mmCIF file of all heavy atoms in Angstrom:
data_model
loop_
_atom_site.group_PDB
_atom_site.id
_atom_site.type_symbol
_atom_site.label_atom_id
_atom_site.label_comp_id
_atom_site.label_asym_id
_atom_site.label_seq_id
_atom_site.Cartn_x
_atom_site.Cartn_y
_atom_site.Cartn_z
ATOM 1 N N LEU A 74 73.042 88.255 -116.116
ATOM 2 C CA LEU A 74 73.870 89.133 -115.297
ATOM 3 C C LEU A 74 74.586 88.342 -114.202
ATOM 4 O O LEU A 74 75.804 88.462 -114.021
ATOM 5 C CB LEU A 74 73.023 90.239 -114.675
ATOM 6 C CG LEU A 74 73.723 91.118 -113.643
ATOM 7 C CD1 LEU A 74 74.771 91.988 -114.310
ATOM 8 C CD2 LEU A 74 72.713 91.960 -112.903
ATOM 9 N N PHE A 75 73.848 87.516 -113.468
ATOM 10 C CA PHE A 75 74.447 86.756 -112.378
ATOM 11 C C PHE A 75 75.441 85.715 -112.893
ATOM 12 O O PHE A 75 76.483 85.481 -112.280
ATOM 13 C CB PHE A 75 73.382 86.092 -111.510
ATOM 14 C CG PHE A 75 72.728 87.049 -110.543
ATOM 15 C CD1 PHE A 75 71.352 87.188 -110.520
ATOM 16 C CD2 PHE A 75 73.496 87.801 -109.671
ATOM 17 C CE1 PHE A 75 70.751 88.057 -109.630
ATOM 18 C CE2 PHE A 75 72.904 88.680 -108.782
ATOM 19 C CZ PHE A 75 71.526 88.809 -108.759
ATOM 20 N N ARG A 76 75.142 85.090 -114.007
ATOM 21 C CA ARG A 76 76.095 84.127 -114.574
ATOM 22 C C ARG A 76 77.391 84.821 -114.991
ATOM 23 O O ARG A 76 78.491 84.322 -114.747
ATOM 24 C CB ARG A 76 75.482 83.420 -115.774
ATOM 25 C CG ARG A 76 74.462 82.381 -115.388
ATOM 26 C CD ARG A 76 73.923 81.707 -116.620
ATOM 27 N NE ARG A 76 72.836 80.811 -116.278
ATOM 28 C CZ ARG A 76 72.026 80.279 -117.149
ATOM 29 N NH1 ARG A 76 72.155 80.554 -118.446
ATOM 30 N NH2 ARG A 76 71.065 79.460 -116.760
ATOM 31 N N ALA A 77 77.248 85.976 -115.629
ATOM 32 C CA ALA A 77 78.435 86.717 -116.060
ATOM 33 C C ALA A 77 79.256 87.166 -114.852
ATOM 34 O O ALA A 77 80.493 87.074 -114.859
ATOM 35 C CB ALA A 77 78.030 87.917 -116.912
ATOM 36 N N LEU A 78 78.586 87.632 -113.806
ATOM 37 C CA LEU A 78 79.309 88.023 -112.596
ATOM 38 C C LEU A 78 80.020 86.828 -111.970
ATOM 39 O O LEU A 78 81.163 86.941 -111.513
ATOM 40 C CB LEU A 78 78.344 88.640 -111.578
ATOM 41 C CG LEU A 78 77.933 90.074 -111.835
ATOM 42 C CD1 LEU A 78 76.843 90.497 -110.856
ATOM 43 C CD2 LEU A 78 79.119 91.002 -111.715
ATOM 44 N N GLY A 79 79.355 85.683 -111.953
ATOM 45 C CA GLY A 79 79.975 84.469 -111.423
ATOM 46 C C GLY A 79 81.211 84.079 -112.203
ATOM 47 O O GLY A 79 82.253 83.744 -111.616
ATOM 48 N N VAL A 80 81.125 84.147 -113.522
ATOM 49 C CA VAL A 80 82.290 83.833 -114.358
ATOM 50 C C VAL A 80 83.419 84.822 -114.083
ATOM 51 O O VAL A 80 84.589 84.436 -113.976
ATOM 52 C CB VAL A 80 81.903 83.832 -115.857
ATOM 53 C CG1 VAL A 80 83.134 83.809 -116.743
ATOM 54 C CG2 VAL A 80 81.011 82.649 -116.166
ATOM 55 N N CYS A 81 83.079 86.088 -113.934
ATOM 56 C CA CYS A 81 84.109 87.102 -113.652
ATOM 57 C C CYS A 81 84.807 86.828 -112.320
ATOM 58 O O CYS A 81 86.037 86.892 -112.235
ATOM 59 C CB CYS A 81 83.486 88.492 -113.632
ATOM 60 S SG CYS A 81 82.984 89.091 -115.249
ATOM 61 N N PHE A 82 84.033 86.529 -111.284
ATOM 62 C CA PHE A 82 84.632 86.268 -109.975
ATOM 63 C C PHE A 82 85.509 85.026 -109.996
ATOM 64 O O PHE A 82 86.641 85.043 -109.506
ATOM 65 C CB PHE A 82 83.551 86.121 -108.899
ATOM 66 C CG PHE A 82 82.902 87.419 -108.509
ATOM 67 C CD1 PHE A 82 81.543 87.471 -108.291
ATOM 68 C CD2 PHE A 82 83.641 88.584 -108.367
ATOM 69 C CE1 PHE A 82 80.928 88.658 -107.921
ATOM 70 C CE2 PHE A 82 83.039 89.774 -107.999
ATOM 71 C CZ PHE A 82 81.674 89.808 -107.778
ATOM 72 N N VAL A 83 85.003 83.938 -110.564
ATOM 73 C CA VAL A 83 85.770 82.692 -110.600
ATOM 74 C C VAL A 83 87.039 82.874 -111.431
ATOM 75 O O VAL A 83 88.126 82.417 -111.047
ATOM 76 C CB VAL A 83 84.903 81.539 -111.144
ATOM 77 C CG1 VAL A 83 85.733 80.321 -111.447
ATOM 78 C CG2 VAL A 83 83.810 81.192 -110.145
ATOM 79 N N THR A 84 86.907 83.554 -112.550
ATOM 80 C CA THR A 84 88.059 83.786 -113.415
ATOM 81 C C THR A 84 89.111 84.637 -112.707
ATOM 82 O O THR A 84 90.310 84.343 -112.779
ATOM 83 C CB THR A 84 87.625 84.479 -114.719
ATOM 84 O OG1 THR A 84 86.675 83.653 -115.383
ATOM 85 C CG2 THR A 84 88.797 84.737 -115.628
ATOM 86 N N GLN A 85 88.678 85.678 -112.004
ATOM 87 C CA GLN A 85 89.628 86.539 -111.300
ATOM 88 C C GLN A 85 90.361 85.775 -110.209
ATOM 89 O O GLN A 85 91.576 85.924 -110.045
ATOM 90 C CB GLN A 85 88.906 87.759 -110.703
ATOM 91 C CG GLN A 85 89.849 88.764 -110.101
ATOM 92 C CD GLN A 85 90.739 89.403 -111.145
ATOM 93 O OE1 GLN A 85 90.269 89.837 -112.176
ATOM 94 N NE2 GLN A 85 92.035 89.476 -110.881
#
Side-chain angles (χ1 to χ4, degrees):
L74 172 69
F75 282 126
R76 285 181 186 167
L78 282 173
V80 168
C81 289
F82 286 139
V83 169
T84 301
Q85 187 65 48

